[in-house]
Amino acid sequence: MILNCGEALIDMVAGKTSDDQAAFVPHSGGAVMNTAVALGRLGVPSGFFAGLSSDFFGAQLKAHLEASHVSYDLCPISDAATTLAFVQLVNGQAKYAFFDENTALRGLSTNDIPALPDDVDALFFGGISLAYGSCAEAYETMLLSATQTHVTMIDPNIRPSFVRDEASFRARIERMVSASDIVKLSDEDLEWIAGAGDIATNARALLAKGPKLVLITQGSEGATAYHADYEVFVPTIPVDLSNSDTIGAGDTFNAGVLASLHEAGLMNKEAIANLSKKDAKNAVSYGMKAARITVSRKGANPPWKHEL
């Protein structure tokens, strides 16, 4: 099983009522839950770990996980509220306003870290859950412990406006990136971490800090995998965003990469360290293919395996 560790929240997506009044529609979301759901739909045993609420939004999130065959047995349930993210789309790109104070997500602590079941062979971390608070400390502690024996992957999915203490956040992300086997960043995330400069140079600088595979996505251009022995670029096929959006695209890409590695029997630390160029290209290509379907429709709605 791949255990996905990070936020689940409600995306309140701007829309219109039948009489053309402005409205917000609640959709289940959160970067890490999107990846967990995408993995479940792609036929990979998928688990989820985060603080969940007992409120009615929490019930919606649990139902969403169940419908995509994702286990949430390890999640602590509390009376704290569910995180809400109000979303507006501008030219198909999502802009967010978060309501996250004193929520079930933020209340997660190191005391909630579970013993890993024997069937867990990889863990995925990322999203706003790493920005601040006790949950960020819990996820860092969990990754640093698990990476000794399990494959670990991180996608920080950086939102600078969400960061409260930049120095502390940068230090946490550097520690987690250095300890992970696989790191995925958008080109914007890479620039935020490494500064302006050549993408390949900055990606290889990250690779030198410890990861075995660094994946850089560049929006509509494509994605590149960087390994100690090679780099491989996979272009994307353009998608018309006039009736769709990019919500959940990167999260689905992550799931596609992990699903490809899982199906190829490569979900162990030695295999990732010695990953062939062909297997890396296959993983990136599968991630791009899955993400393209998500981008072709509204919201974070990852594809099922039969759709690929």
Side-chain angles (χ1 to χ4, degrees):
M1 182 174 75
I2 297 174
L3 184 62
N4 302 272
C5 309
E7 72 270 9
L9 51 82
I10 296 294
D11 285 323
M12 302 294 289
V13 181
K16 296 280 188 179
T17 63
S18 58
D19 58 351
D20 206 37
Q21 298 295 309
F24 284 90
V25 181
H27 294 271
S28 299
V32 177
M33 190 182 72
N34 291 341
T35 297
V37 164
L39 279 167
R41 293 184 181 185
L42 292 175
V44 178
S46 178
F48 181 70
F49 174 67
L52 293 177
S53 175
S54 58
D55 65 16
F56 59 88
F57 284 133
Q60 177 178 329
L61 294 173
K62 284 177 255 184
H64 184 57
L65 289 165
E66 290 171 2
S68 296
H69 313 302
V70 180
S71 167
Y72 57 88
D73 293 345
L74 298 178
C75 294
I77 311 295
S78 73
D79 293 334
T82 298
T83 296
L84 303 180
F86 284 77
V87 188
Q88 286 190 317
L89 300 173
V90 180
N91 297 323
Q93 301 294 320
K95 296 187 178 298
Y96 296 86
F98 289 92
F99 292 79
D100 192 35
E101 291 294 330
N102 302 313
T103 59
L105 167 65
R106 291 295 157 201
L108 189 78
S109 74
T110 53
N111 293 330
D112 296 310
I113 296 175
L116 294 179
D118 292 340
D119 61 347
V120 173
D121 52 10
L123 297 92
F124 172 78
F125 296 84
I128 63 169
S129 56
L130 305 181
Y132 66 90
S134 63
C135 66
E137 296 172 5
Y139 287 131
E140 180 185 356
T141 299
M142 196 172 177
L143 184 149
L144 295 180
S145 174
T147 198
Q148 304 301 317
T149 51
H150 296 70
V151 172
T152 52
M153 177 176 176
I154 184 173
D155 174 7
N157 198 12
I158 296 165
R159 301 188 188 282
S161 62
F162 211 80
V163 177
R164 295 186 171 183
D165 182 339
E166 183 173 324
S168 176
F169 177 69
R170 284 185 179 276
R172 179 183 304 113
I173 293 303
E174 181 168 354
R175 290 190 296 268
M176 295 181 75
V177 162
S178 298
S180 297
D181 297 289
I182 306 171
V183 175
K184 179 263 184 172
L185 299 166
S186 69
D187 50 356
E188 293 179 347
D189 290 343
L190 179 64
E191 183 173 338
W192 193 87
I193 288 174
D198 177 66
I199 289 177
T201 300
N202 286 342
R204 290 208 163 274
L206 278 185
L207 199 64
K209 293 185 177 182
K212 303 302 183 287
L213 187 67
V214 172
L215 308 172
I216 306 297
T217 57
Q218 293 176 259
S220 60
E221 293 182 33
T224 305
Y226 295 89
H227 186 273
D229 301 326
Y230 57 79
E231 62 185 68
V232 57
F233 173 74
V234 178
T236 191
I237 300 172
V239 177
D240 180 6
L241 290 175
S242 59
N243 292 306
S244 58
D245 57 63
T246 62
I247 298 174
D251 311 325
T252 304
F253 172 84
N254 293 332
V257 168
L258 289 168
S260 177
L261 296 172
H262 171 83
E263 291 182 6
L266 299 170
M267 200 57 76
N268 63 78
K269 296 182 78 68
E270 182 180 359
I272 300 300
N274 298 295
L275 194 67
S276 72
K277 186 174 183 178
K278 178 182 178 181
D279 287 327
K281 184 174 183 178
N282 287 342
V284 172
S285 297
Y286 197 65
M288 296 287 285
K289 189 175 182 180
R292 186 174 188 271
I293 295 178
T294 299
V295 169
S296 72
R297 50 203 190 191
K298 291 283 188 182
N301 185 9
W304 293 85
K305 188 173 183 178
H306 70 266
E307 294 182 89
L308 275 74

